Amino acid sequence: MMWWYLSRTPSSASNAKPSDQYSTITLHNSIFPVSDSGLFNDICIVEIPNKPLIDHNKDNNKSSSKQVETFPCSSWEWFAYQFSPTQFHSVVVPRVLSPVFRIQVIGVLPEHFLCAKLVQSPHQPHATLCTYSCSENSLHDVPKMNCEDRNPFGAACALRDDWLYVAGGYKGKSSNIDPSSYLNSVERLNLKTWEWQSLQNMQEPRAFADGFTHKGRFFVVGGSATLKHSAEIYNPSTNSWVCLKSFVPKEADGFTAASLNGRLMLLTWSDQLGVKLWLWTVLVNPNLICRCRLISFFPNQIVERPRLKSHGAKMVQVGGKEVWVLVGESDRFCLQVDGSNALPVFPAPMFRPGDGHEAVQKGHIYAFSFTDGVGLSWRKIPVYSI
C-alpha cells in the first residue's frame, strides 16, 4: 500500500482570494504552510516508499566486510530542506522500531542525504554516520573515523563547504559517562572523497558541546559544567584553535547560536534575566578579543521563557534573510549541524487524500530579521497540522 502526504509551500497574504492565491509567494508561514485564509497553495506530494529499509552497514569485527539488514517501515520522520528562497522540498525517512534507531538528516548532498543513525538505548546510546537514499530506501555507513572509539552521539558537528567537522565527544557506548572519557581530538570528513582527515586537537576535552560555523571558522561551545560558557574556535587556514573563556554571557542557563548575513547571534535564556538575543562581535583581531552586545529581548517573555527553559531551542537560518527559533527541537536531535542542512521540523501531517481532515493551527514559531541592514524585527509564524 502506498501512502501519500501533503506538504505546503509558502503562501500569499492572509487576505488572498481564490482568484489571486498564486499572485505572490512569501515566507509567511511555517515549513509546511497554509495561508491564513485557509487556502492551500502549490500543493506538493511526497511519496512514501513501499519497500523495507535496507541497511548496508559494516561488520564491527571485520571492517572490510559488509552486513545487509532489512527492516519493515512502520513509521516515518518528516523533515524539509530549502530548495529555493521561497520553497521547501519535503522528505520522509523511516523510523525503525525494532531495534530502535532513528535516522536524523544532518546534511543535504547532491544525490543523497548525510545522516546520523541514532540508537536510543538507555544503557548504550550511540550514533553512526551514514548516507540515506530516498529512491532506494537504503542506508550506507560512511568510513570509520580515525578515532574509532569516538561516540558521535556526544560530539560537536558542523558542515562547512564540502566538509563535515567532528570535535570532542566521548569514548565508547556506555551511558555512565565520566569526564575522563571526554575527547579533545578533532577530525573532518571530505564529503567528495569520503576520507577522514585528523586536525589539531582542541585545548580542552569537550562532550555534548554545540558546534556551528561562522565566517569560515568552526566553533565548539560548552562541553562540560566548567566549560559551559567557553568556546574554542578553529581556523582551517592555520589548523589552529583559539580558546575563549567567556563566549556565552555568564547569566545564561542555556543558549543557541546562528549566523545570518555575516552576523553571529546568540539566544540565551535564564530564570532571572529572561530570554535575550545577543550580537557577538570581534573587537580586535587576530587575538579574537570579542564581546556580546544585547540587541533584543525575546517576544512575549512571560509565556515563552518557561517553554525555552523546559524544552530548549534551536535557531535555523532560512532563506538567507531571517532566523527561525524552533523551541523544543533540541531534545529531538542530538547531532546538530549547520550549512546546507535539513531543517528539524514537526511531526508529519497525518493526511491521506480523501480523509477529509482540515488544517488546524497547532502552534507557532518566532522569526527575526534585520530591516534596512540595521534594525531587528520579530514576527510570529503560525504552524498548522492536518
Side-chain angles (χ1 to χ4, degrees), residues 109-284:
L109 304 178
E111 297 181 357
H112 42 243
F113 300 98
L114 180 65
C115 304
K117 184 168 64 177
L118 305 174
V119 178
Q120 297 178 298
S121 166
H123 303 295
Q124 291 188 319
H126 64 281
T128 303
L129 297 175
C130 60
T131 60
Y132 174 70
S133 168
C134 294
S135 59
E136 299 176 358
N137 196 30
S138 63
L139 297 171
H140 287 266
D141 283 0
V142 305
K144 289 184 178 181
M145 287 183 275
N146 293 330
C147 180
E148 291 189 6
D149 58 352
R150 185 199 314 274
N151 191 337
F153 189 82
C157 303
L159 286 171
R160 178 180 177 268
D161 299 329
D162 295 316
W163 298 92
L164 171 69
Y165 287 81
V166 179
Y170 63 94
K171 299 178 182 179
K173 300 178 181 179
S174 173
S175 59
N176 297 320
I177 306 166
D178 187 272
S180 63
S181 67
Y182 288 5
L183 299 169
N184 66 346
S185 61
V186 185
E187 51 193 306
R188 64 180 182 177
L189 175 66
N190 187 317
L191 299 178
K192 291 184 177 180
T193 65
W194 298 103
E195 295 177 339
W196 287 97
Q197 177 185 7
S198 295
L199 304 177
Q200 181 69 32
N201 289 346
M202 294 185 292
Q203 297 182 28
E204 300 284 350
R206 298 172 184 265
F208 301 103
D210 285 335
F212 57 89
T213 59
H214 173 66
K215 291 187 175 180
R217 300 188 180 191
F218 175 37
F219 288 64
V220 180
V221 186
S224 73
T226 58
L227 300 171
K228 65 179 182 179
H229 295 107
S230 72
E232 297 194 44
I233 305 172
Y234 177 74
N235 186 342
S237 63
T238 61
N239 188 28
S240 61
W241 293 86
V242 173
C243 187
L244 302 177
K245 294 183 178 180
S246 294
F247 179 83
V248 180
K250 292 187 179 297
E251 68 184 56
D253 297 324
F255 85 98
T256 180
S259 179
L260 177 65
N261 297 332
R263 298 180 175 96
L264 178 59
M265 279 80 59
L266 300 178
L267 184 74
T268 65
W269 50 91
S270 69
D271 287 334
Q272 295 182 342
L273 300 176
V275 187
K276 299 179 180 180
L277 185 66
W278 308 78
L279 177 65
W280 187 81
T281 307
V282 175
L283 300 178
V284 178

Side-chain angles (χ1 to χ4, degrees), residues 9-13 20-29 33 40-42 84-88 321:
T9 56
S11 61
S12 56
D20 65 4
Q21 61 176 309
Y22 298 103
S23 59
T24 59
I25 299 295
T26 62
L27 283 171
H28 184 69
N29 290 307
F40 289 98
N41 196 11
D42 288 351
S84 74
T86 58
Q87 187 176 10
F88 293 89
K321 295 182 179 180

